[in-house]
Amino acid sequence: EGVALRHCVAGYAWLCAAQAIAIVSLRTQGRRVLTIELELASLSIRQARGLANRDATQAEQGLLQAWLRAIRARRQAGS
């Protein structure tokens, strides 16, 4: 992921191992678009970065917000 999008996501491996965060890849038509750092306790996005650390576009931010609503609803339904 980090090599493909030219950013430092590998530096967060220890947080994944500690189950504090999850790293998620947003893909469009099989192509990596964003890497997302998801804080698991709050189900909030700590950061979302594209190629060479670019910020998410407005359209991508909209997709991320819809995804967050869906996973939060699933968590609530499972509680």
Side-chain angles (χ1 to χ4, degrees), residues 2 4 7 18 29 45 68 73:
H7 54 51
Q29 298 177 346
I45 294 174
L68 275 179

Side-chain angles (χ1 to χ4, degrees), residues 6-73:
R6 298 193 320 246
H7 54 51
C8 62
V9 69
Y12 296 90
W14 69 277
L15 287 167
C16 290
Q19 298 180 346
I21 67 166
I23 299 295
V24 181
S25 181
L26 173 67
R27 296 173 183 224
T28 302
Q29 298 177 346
R31 195 179 105 255
R32 289 178 175 93
V33 178
L34 290 176
T35 304
I36 301 126
E37 179 186 355
L38 179 69
E39 185 176 290
L40 295 175
S42 63
L43 289 182
S44 60
I45 294 174
R46 292 175 57 169
Q47 61 180 321
R49 299 284 183 232
L51 182 64
N53 272 337
R54 74 161 174 82
D55 290 331
T57 66
Q58 281 190 322
E60 291 164 344
Q61 289 174 15
L63 288 172
L64 293 174
Q65 291 308 311
W67 175 69
L68 275 179
R69 284 191 298 275
I71 62 171
R72 287 174 178 157

